[in-house]
Amino acid sequence: MTTTSTTRSSNLLASPANATVVNSAQHQVVTCVTGGYRFALPTTHLSGVYQVARQQLGKEMEVLSTPEGDLPVASLATLLSLHLGLDIVPSDEERALVAIRLNNKVATIRVGQVSRPIDVAPSHWHQIPSVAQPKGTAELFSHITNIAPESDDPDEALALVVDPLKALRFVDEKPVSKPEPVISSPTIAAQTTPSRRGGDHLISFVPEDVPRQLLNFVFCLPLASVAAVVTSHPFMTSPFESDVFSGYITWRKIPVPIIKLGSAFNMESRGGEKRQNQRGRRLVIARGSGHRYLGFYTQTQMHSMKIPKSSDTQFEELNGCPHLGAFKTDFGGMVIPDIDRLLNL
């Protein structure tokens, strides 16, 4: 049965004719809440915000009567759960309906607590790597943005940006192609950037989620590929994590995806164990191409050294894993993870 409801319009956004002109170099979003999670919606195709009448609270709505005519209604929580398989349950108190227009198509998305428009500088607008995308039928999260760069709290600063056109199926979904892996060069030295400071050194480490005794090698990265080694950071509250992806932190106002490095290499995990000394863990922030960053936790012991002489080798358990190469050295086996491939998992 289709339920039609008449609601009142909100003055949250100006009409298109009176809308404030936004610097074209900036992005603009409104934030909203559904199922206890906060998301951002671009204002590019937002044509209005309406409020559900109190007598309609807790009721399913399929159609909304507005000055633009009768518009279909879809819950944002339902859309995300349907497309991405996320477990998000909308609240009965969600009263806001955000109208989205693309040419002659108009529909509304039901959410709660819609903010006023927020201007976002390009430096705080970031693509979401594949490893941080839910493995659903569409990449509905187009970006992640820092809407409060003055805050160190990731729940205040960060918001996942939902593409409303994909959520409402106003545009066709296009398969996302992943770049081909780069064939590694046969020495550790070939993986460094000598012109960058620290290009002749590397650090070696063991992922936090892998027992050391299970490895016959250690992981390493050229110092030129390491942006920072820091202590534990709080995660942004998000409805999505996976066997590999743990969540986002903020580092120098940048949203950095954190992964379980051992799990990314299909290694037996120690994730179920309770660490006795959380303060001793290390968080490595690694550089990828295109000013992208990726983080992962390691065990406390880390070593810095000059790049040793090495020869190419193979470890059978690493076949198909995202690494630039495996090497024999006087210090034992060393493996260089491929940061770009990890981001593109």
Side-chain angles (χ1 to χ4, degrees):
M1 174 177 165
T2 299
T3 303
T4 303
S5 175
T6 303
T7 66
R8 63 183 179 83
S9 175
S10 167
N11 292 323
L12 179 65
L13 284 179
S15 65
N18 299 320
T20 303
V21 176
V22 179
N23 185 336
S24 60
Q26 290 184 320
H27 303 272
Q28 191 180 74
V29 299
V30 294
T31 63
C32 57
V33 174
T34 188
Y37 299 102
R38 185 182 65 169
F39 301 98
L41 292 170
T43 61
T44 312
H45 298 282
L46 199 159
S47 65
V49 176
Y50 302 89
Q51 293 293 319
V52 176
R54 288 198 174 275
Q55 59 268 31
Q56 289 291 324
L57 287 179
K59 296 182 180 180
E60 289 291 332
M61 295 180 58
E62 297 180 13
V63 176
L64 168 72
S65 294
T66 76
E68 299 185 70
D70 289 347
L71 305 180
V73 177
S75 161
L76 179 59
T78 301
L79 291 172
L80 294 177
S81 298
L82 176 66
H83 289 302
L84 306 178
L86 301 179
D87 185 16
I88 304 178
V89 180
S91 165
D92 289 343
E93 298 296 314
E94 293 180 5
R95 297 186 59 202
L97 296 169
V98 180
I100 303 297
R101 173 183 288 277
L102 177 65
N103 301 323
N104 61 341
K105 299 178 181 178
V106 188
T108 65
I109 299 175
R110 185 169 181 172
V111 295
Q113 301 178 28
V114 180
S115 74
R116 298 196 69 79
I118 301 168
D119 294 335
V120 180
S123 59
H124 297 308
W125 191 259
H126 304 269
Q127 290 280 352
I128 295 180
S130 295
V131 72
Q133 284 278 9
K135 306 307 180 187
T137 58
E139 292 190 348
L140 299 191
F141 298 139
S142 63
H143 294 82
I144 183 169
T145 182
N146 191 331
I147 57 174
E150 69 283 355
S151 175
D152 293 327
D153 182 347
D155 282 334
E156 291 183 1
L158 303 182
L160 291 168
V161 181
V162 177
D163 185 335
L165 302 184
K166 285 186 178 180
L168 294 168
R169 293 183 173 172
F170 280 4
V171 294
D172 294 331
E173 299 170 7
K174 297 180 180 178
V176 178
S177 59
K178 296 184 179 181
E180 294 293 324
V182 178
I183 304 300
S184 67
S185 301
T187 65
I188 293 180
Q191 305 299 338
T192 67
T193 308
S195 60
R196 182 177 280 174
R197 183 179 178 183
D200 61 345
H201 280 70
L202 58 77
I203 60 169
S204 63
F205 51 86
V206 175
E208 184 187 45
D209 58 328
V210 179
R212 175 67 181 91
Q213 62 269 24
L214 294 183
L215 296 179
N216 55 355
F217 56 82
V218 295
F219 286 91
C220 66
L221 279 174
L223 279 183
S225 298
V226 178
V229 178
V230 296
T231 55
S232 180
H233 275 46
F235 284 106
M236 165 189 144
T237 301
S238 166
F240 169 64
E241 62 177 294
S242 69
D243 292 341
V244 173
F245 175 65
S246 296
Y248 274 100
I249 66 162
T250 52
W251 173 75
R252 296 184 179 179
K253 307 186 187 304
I254 301 170
V256 177
I258 306 300
I259 66 165
K260 306 175 189 76
L261 187 60
S263 295
F265 279 77
N266 302 316
M267 294 176 177
E268 183 177 336
S269 174
R270 59 186 285 178
E273 299 180 14
K274 291 185 178 179
R275 293 185 54 82
Q276 295 180 352
N277 185 11
Q278 289 280 354
R279 296 179 182 177
R281 68 202 306 213
R282 299 287 183 265
L283 175 59
V284 174
I285 308 293
R287 292 186 178 93
S289 62
H291 303 289
R292 299 188 301 168
Y293 295 91
L294 179 72
F296 48 83
Y297 282 101
T298 72
Q299 297 179 28
T300 306
Q301 296 79 12
M302 304 181 73
H303 299 282
S304 175
M305 65 183 77
K306 274 203 164 186
I307 295 174
K309 292 182 180 179
S310 64
S311 60
D312 193 25
T313 189
Q314 292 184 356
F315 296 102
E316 185 177 347
E317 63 266 37
L318 296 182
N319 288 343
C321 290
H323 66 298
L324 288 170
F327 307 94
K328 290 189 296 187
T329 76
D330 291 340
F331 302 97
M334 292 187 173
V335 172
I336 302 180
D338 188 330
I339 302 303
D340 285 333
R341 286 177 64 189
L342 288 167
L343 283 162
N344 292 323
L345 284 177

